Structures are given as structure tokens and as C-alpha cells.
Amino acid sequence: MPNTQDGWIGGAKYEDFMGRWSRKLAPEFVAWLKIPAGAHWLDVGCGTGALTEAISMHADPASVVGCDPSAAFVEYATRQTRNGRVSFVVAGAGSLPKHAEGYDCVSSLLALNFFPDHVSAVREMRSLVQSGGVVSACVWDYAGKMEFLRYFWDVVVEENPSTREQDEGVRFPICNPASLAELFKTAGLAEVVCEPIDIPTKFKDFDDYWRPLLAGTGPAAAYVASLEQNRREALHRMLENKLRRSEHGAIDLIARAWAVRGTVS
């Protein structure tokens, strides 16, 4: 599960940094999955509830259980959700909640790369799905077109090459289509498909880009928090000079995610 050194803290701060983008991605992911109405879902690593909310709003489920090892995230997600078909529980890989008849779809949005043992996690997800059901996940393309993080880490590593191992594109080699497809096949899933989903990430100005990086949530923000003031200011200047902006100061970028699914035969 997420490394505590990555600074996973309060739900509101996560929303400002990453949640606003995961809430754009989640409905696209649900539409891509094409799960029939009336299904029972499990959302693994639900965080602040972006995928759970998208399922409840767009997939007409019979039920959705969202689980996360962070009690703070589960508390936040519970407060934000008013739907009798949705419930949340504090649980992570190794102790995922079961459904008496098996789930129709067990899915994970933007969490799979943080699991310490990817194969065991996907196998556990598979074990909870009834025959003919679906296991799926979606992760950011950290090494490629997840642009606002790619710009950040490229500047960080250029300024200090010793930080390369902290770069999420390096840390999470699972986040590419070949590796994801191989993972799902190794975990015993059939009919495996992996495709990209792109969403726009528009920041109204540089402050809108920089401010969430000061909140300490996620690997990039945790790195910023670790810097002394003068180095933080230098990073601010380098990023401000690097990021391309429109004539009105807006920063228009793309965030690519890789969506993968497989069937339980």
C-alpha cells in the first residue's frame, strides 16, 4: 500500500493535489469498463472515493464497497457520499472485504502501483470475483504522458541527479501497457486488454500548479516538503520557467492513464 514517506495525509489536501484529476478520470474509466447495470463492485484503494462515486453515478450498480487502508481517506469518502448502495471500510491488500456471492467487478483506480506485491494483490482481487466477472485497474503513465508530474520530476532530476530513484516514472515501472498486461495474465486472468485514457489537466496559472505541491500529499509534494527554503524557492523558479503557458497564463497539459482489465474464467 502507499508508503507513509510519500506523505499520504488528509483527504482535502489530496483532493487539491490529485483528487480533482482522479475525479475527471474515474467516469472515463467506468465507461471504458462497460460493466452491466446491477453489478456488485469492490473499489480497492478507494482513497477519497473518486471511483466509488463514478460507479454509483454512471454504472447503476447493485452495490459498491470502497476500501482503503487510510482511515482518514475512508472517513473523507464516507462524508462525501450520500448513496444507499455505497459503503466504505478500512481495509487493504491482504484483507480485502468479501461478497457472499462474489463481486462482478473488482477494480482499483490509481493505487495498484503502490501495492508492495502486485501479483499477490491482483490474485487476491481475482479470488473475490465470481466466474465471468472482471478485475481491472487504472494507473497514471508516470514515465510518459502524465505531464504535470513528468515536468516536475524532469526538473527535479535535472537539478539533482541523485533524486532519480524518487521519480515516480522510475519507481513505478509497472505503469506501462506491456507490464500491466503481463501482470494480469500472470495473476490468472483471461481476455486481458490494456488501453490509454487521456484527460486534460488545466491549471489557471502557475500558483494553481504549485500550491498543491506545498501540501505534503503524494510523492512529489513530500519531496517538496523535504527541501530547505532556498532549494524550494529554486525549484519554484525552475518549474515556473519550464512550464509552457497560454497568453492568459493558463497551463494546459494532458494526463494519460493506462486502463487494464481481465476476465475471471
Side-chain angles (χ1 to χ4, degrees):
M1 300 311 290
N3 187 330
T4 55
Q5 294 181 345
D6 288 337
W8 301 108
I9 51 178
K13 291 183 178 180
Y14 175 84
E15 283 290 307
D16 194 34
F17 175 58
M18 190 61 74
R20 54 176 164 168
W21 311 123
S22 58
R23 289 188 187 276
K24 286 181 176 289
L25 175 63
E28 301 293 330
F29 180 43
V30 171
W32 179 82
L33 285 171
K34 296 182 175 66
I35 303 299
H40 295 284
W41 293 69
L42 174 64
D43 175 6
V44 178
C46 67
T48 54
L51 179 58
T52 304
E53 179 181 318
I55 294 165
S56 66
M57 292 180 64
H58 302 290
D60 192 19
S63 68
V64 192
V65 178
C67 68
D68 197 281
S70 167
F73 280 174
V74 167
E75 180 183 359
Y76 183 94
T78 302
R79 289 200 310 268
Q80 301 303 308
T81 304
R82 298 289 183 271
N83 189 312
R85 294 176 293 179
V86 174
S87 61
F88 293 95
V89 62
V90 178
S95 59
L96 297 178
K98 297 177 172 60
H99 186 278
E101 300 173 359
Y103 295 100
D104 299 290
C105 185
V106 175
S107 192
S108 182
L109 180 74
L110 308 178
L112 179 62
N113 50 289
F114 291 103
F115 299 162
D117 187 334
H118 303 125
V119 174
S120 293
V122 177
R123 281 177 175 160
E124 182 183 9
M125 292 164 69
R126 177 182 177 273
S127 73
L128 301 177
V129 176
Q130 60 179 284
S131 179
V134 171
V135 175
S136 64
C138 193
V139 296
W140 293 123
D141 181 23
Y142 292 105
K145 293 288 287 183
M146 207 310 179
E147 291 183 335
F148 79 82
L149 286 177
R150 193 66 265 138
Y151 271 100
F152 175 86
W153 287 113
D154 285 349
V155 167
V156 167
V157 173
E158 179 183 351
E159 188 272 335
N160 182 3
S162 68
T163 61
R164 184 176 182 276
E165 295 304 313
Q166 298 180 55
D167 178 346
E168 288 160 277
V170 175
R171 281 182 61 189
F172 304 132
I174 194 68
C175 297
N176 67 75
S179 296
L180 288 167
E182 181 61 27
L183 168 63
F184 270 50
K185 291 173 184 176
T186 300
L189 292 155
E191 301 174 342
V192 174
V193 178
C194 186
E195 295 179 337
I197 301 175
D198 290 354
I199 62 164
T201 52
K202 182 171 184 175
F203 302 87
K204 62 184 180 181
D205 51 29
F206 183 75
D207 181 66
D208 191 30
Y209 174 91
W210 177 253
R211 185 194 65 255
L213 287 165
L214 301 178
T217 292
Y223 174 79
V224 173
S226 74
L227 298 176
E228 296 179 355
Q229 184 65 26
N230 63 332
R231 292 188 62 200
R232 192 177 304 145
E233 291 173 354
L235 177 59
H236 178 286
R237 290 191 298 270
M238 292 173 70
L239 278 166
E240 192 170 20
N241 290 333
K242 190 81 169 179
L243 284 161
R244 61 182 185 270
R245 277 164 282 181
S246 71
E247 59 179 326
H248 303 294
I251 300 170
D252 294 312
L253 301 173
I254 292 294
R256 172 166 293 168
W258 292 108
V260 60
R261 59 173 287 163
T263 303
V264 177
S265 59

